[in-house]
Amino acid sequence: MNRQKDIYLPGTAGIRPLVSTRADRLEEKARECLSDEAFAYIAGGAGLERTLERNRAAFDRWQIVPRVLRDVSVRDLGIELLGKKRSSPYLLAPIGVLEMAHPEADLAVGRAAAAEGIPFVFSNQASFSMEKVAAEMGDAPKFFQLYWSKSDELTASFLQRAENCGCEALVVTLDTTLLGWRPRDLDLAFLPFLQGKGIAQYTVDTVFQRLMDEPNTGERAAKTPVSWKSVRTLFQQARRYPGSFWGNLFSGRAMRAVRKFVEIYSRPSITWEELPFLRQHTRLPILLKGVLHPDDARKALDLGMNGIVVSNHGGRQVDGAISTLEALPEISAAVGGRMPILFDSGIRSGADAFKALALGADAVCIGRPYAYALGIAGEKGVRETLANFKADLDLTMGLAGCANIGEITRERLKSAEAG
Ligand code: FNR
């Protein structure tokens, strides 16, 4: 690990890192770099943002108790996940509409993730299609995150495409069958999808293109007054839709794509009984994202799922929901090592990752910090942030007396409540 050297040596020539090495400071800087709408979309949570805060506060309730004199000269951050060796326990959580942070969006993040050997979970709401991002990443590890559409045919098409472009696993997000109540976006009356942002997985899909030509079965959109902003929205939709701008504008296809997306993007009626549909349509391992109750974890096991992601979507869905770190120990006990547990929502440092691993996570997903780094300094910013997360965990682990991830156990923590 040469990350400190990579920072301190250029420092002698007056060169400083592009982004702060404190991931929790990236938000502050990103606020200066992003539009109000983009910042609100990324930083915001549901309701009064109590869960967003609690996700962070939960980490302060556990303290690391270092042990000394345990030869940590050689350390190994590697883990095995879904039958493959990984160089660190980190993944990149799926984050939609990254074009709000930077025009290169998922392409830049994909390149940074590949360079750092960290699997990137492609969002269902990505700004570039999975095929394009996969091509940028070569053989580097990639997963695909699905929002279960109202159209089974479209869902099946997404799964097939994920396999074809080399994704190693399917992550099905179950906590967003409805969009949470997000006051920061609501107060700006801004939803990126309505501008044609974040729907690239759909617009290139042949099944979706066919569905667009079918009559709309959903409610008719309320008529909005024509203003320069509504014209700009039409232009933005047309610019984002594949093909010629003028063709898209005059054919109305771009607008139809947005409407069709709104109509079918998610299905709040899905139940456990329908999971076999996914099994029938993919041979990829399936991970369920958004699990917060041990009984749901048990159900996932019973139904032969290959893993879960303990997540509350970064506090963006149910305000007042349990923090993920609070949910983790019971879920870990219920799972008993029978399937991998991934964890996200609130990871901002190596110490946070250490605590989550100690409480039963097998891997942790980095979320907002990489989106902020992308907004501040593009691909290079993301790369720095990922390298920082690895170096921070490596040092925390070594200094706590652990030579590898397997040695990060519950015994390394003390609960603040225990006194
Ligand atoms: C998300 N998240 C998310 N999750 C998902 O399954 N599909 C998605 O498209 C998105 N999009 C998205 C956009 C933005 C702007 C954010 C901040 C989050 C949730 C994400 O995968 C992860 O669960 C959270 O980001 C974790 O919380 P923190 O650590 O980022 O606070």
Side-chain angles (χ1 to χ4, degrees):
M1 280 285 175
N2 290 319
R3 183 71 193 133
Q4 285 159 306
K5 208 168 79 190
D6 287 348
I7 294 174
Y8 289 132
L9 283 184
T12 60
I15 299 167
R16 296 229 174 118
L18 291 171
V19 295
S20 175
T21 54
R22 268 188 70 154
D24 64 341
R25 294 235 169 104
L26 299 174
E27 177 174 338
E28 202 180 297
K29 183 73 187 166
R31 188 195 292 268
E32 295 166 20
C33 303
L34 300 179
S35 69
D36 289 348
E37 285 84 359
F39 183 74
Y41 184 70
I42 299 171
L48 307 185
E49 303 191 340
R50 278 172 298 211
T51 294
L52 188 65
E53 285 160 20
R54 204 171 170 98
N55 279 342
R56 290 292 311 131
F59 284 94
D60 293 333
R61 293 167 53 193
W62 292 96
Q63 267 73 54
I64 299 169
V65 186
R67 300 296 306 271
V68 294
L69 296 174
R70 297 186 162 220
D71 187 358
V72 290
S73 53
V74 180
R75 297 175 304 281
D76 181 6
L77 277 190
I79 59 162
E80 201 180 303
L81 180 67
L82 301 172
K84 276 206 184 166
K85 290 218 178 317
R86 320 276 170 183
S87 55
S88 83
Y90 288 119
L91 287 93
L92 294 193
I95 291 200
V97 210
L98 286 169
E99 67 201 276
M100 308 244 320
H102 192 278
E104 289 197 34
D106 315 79
L107 302 177
V109 173
R111 289 193 293 263
E116 293 298 325
I118 295 183
F120 180 21
V121 185
F122 298 163
S123 166
N124 197 93
Q125 301 315 133
S127 298
F128 287 92
S129 69
M130 56 183 117
E131 290 81 3
K132 278 202 177 142
V133 187
E136 293 285 313
M137 293 180 67
D139 290 338
K142 44 192 96 64
F143 295 9
F144 173 65
Q145 174 263 321
L146 175 80
Y147 283 134
W148 200 320
S149 167
K150 284 201 179 79
S151 160
D152 279 348
E153 212 190 337
L154 183 66
T155 298
S157 174
F158 278 10
L159 300 186
Q160 189 58 55
R161 285 171 51 207
E163 278 185 26
N164 292 349
C165 72
C167 291
E168 291 174 33
L170 176 69
V171 176
V172 192
T173 299
L174 301 174
D175 58 18
T176 311
T177 53
L178 305 161
L179 195 66
W181 182 254
R182 300 182 185 164
R184 293 204 212 192
D185 297 335
L186 291 162
D187 286 352
L188 293 172
F190 177 78
L191 188 66
F193 312 112
L194 300 188
Q195 299 193 339
K197 293 178 181 167
I199 59 169
Q201 308 292 18
Y202 297 78
T203 51
V204 301
D205 192 288
T206 49
V207 171
F208 183 76
Q209 287 164 359
R210 211 197 59 234
L211 293 174
M212 268 170 55
D213 295 326
E214 290 174 0
N216 205 319
T217 57
E219 291 166 39
R220 281 192 72 77
K223 284 232 178 309
T224 45
V226 177
S227 66
W228 73 268
K229 270 219 159 179
S230 58
V231 173
R232 202 178 67 160
T233 298
L234 278 182
F235 276 45
Q236 277 176 334
Q237 291 172 347
R239 195 145 44 84
R240 280 179 175 83
Y241 192 81
S244 108
F245 168 80
W246 294 109
N248 292 337
L249 196 66
F250 292 119
S251 68
R253 278 188 84 66
M255 197 167 68
R256 278 214 303 288
V258 170
R259 286 216 180 122
K260 185 50 88 177
F261 161 75
V262 170
E263 186 193 332
I264 64 171
Y265 111 94
S266 158
R267 188 144 68 86
S269 63
I270 45 168
T271 61
W272 291 97
E273 284 67 44
E274 289 169 77
L275 286 180
F277 174 88
L278 298 181
R279 235 336 147 233
Q280 283 153 19
H281 285 85
T282 183
R283 43 188 176 75
L284 298 180
I286 303 174
L287 312 180
L288 302 186
K289 178 170 184 272
V291 172
L292 292 168
H293 194 291
D295 285 350
D296 285 346
R298 283 188 198 97
K299 263 195 157 145
L301 262 178
D302 291 347
L303 287 167
M305 296 293 109
N306 305 95
I308 52 171
V309 187
V310 174
S311 169
N312 57 29
H313 215 101
R316 295 162 75 77
Q317 287 298 94
V318 179
D319 191 31
I322 186 169
S323 73
T324 47
L325 203 71
E326 286 169 298
L328 182 60
E330 267 190 73
I331 293 177
S332 168
V335 168
R338 286 172 290 170
M339 67 181 169
I341 300 176
L342 279 60
F343 174 95
D344 76 25
S345 301
I347 295 286
R348 300 291 181 269
S349 70
D352 294 344
F354 185 101
K355 290 176 187 178
L357 294 166
L359 292 174
D362 296 286
V364 292
C365 307
I366 302 167
R368 288 184 177 91
Y370 83 77
Y372 293 138
L374 178 69
I376 298 165
E379 178 183 340
K380 285 189 181 151
V382 179
R383 192 148 178 210
E384 279 193 7
T385 291
L386 304 187
N388 293 341
F389 266 103
K390 288 196 293 187
D392 187 6
L393 177 60
D394 172 60
L395 293 168
T396 304
M397 181 175 87
L399 291 169
C402 305
N404 58 58
I405 299 293
E407 290 180 15
I408 302 179
T409 58
R410 174 70 185 75
E411 289 71 55
R412 288 285 176 280
L413 298 187
K414 187 162 192 275
S415 157
E417 270 91 68

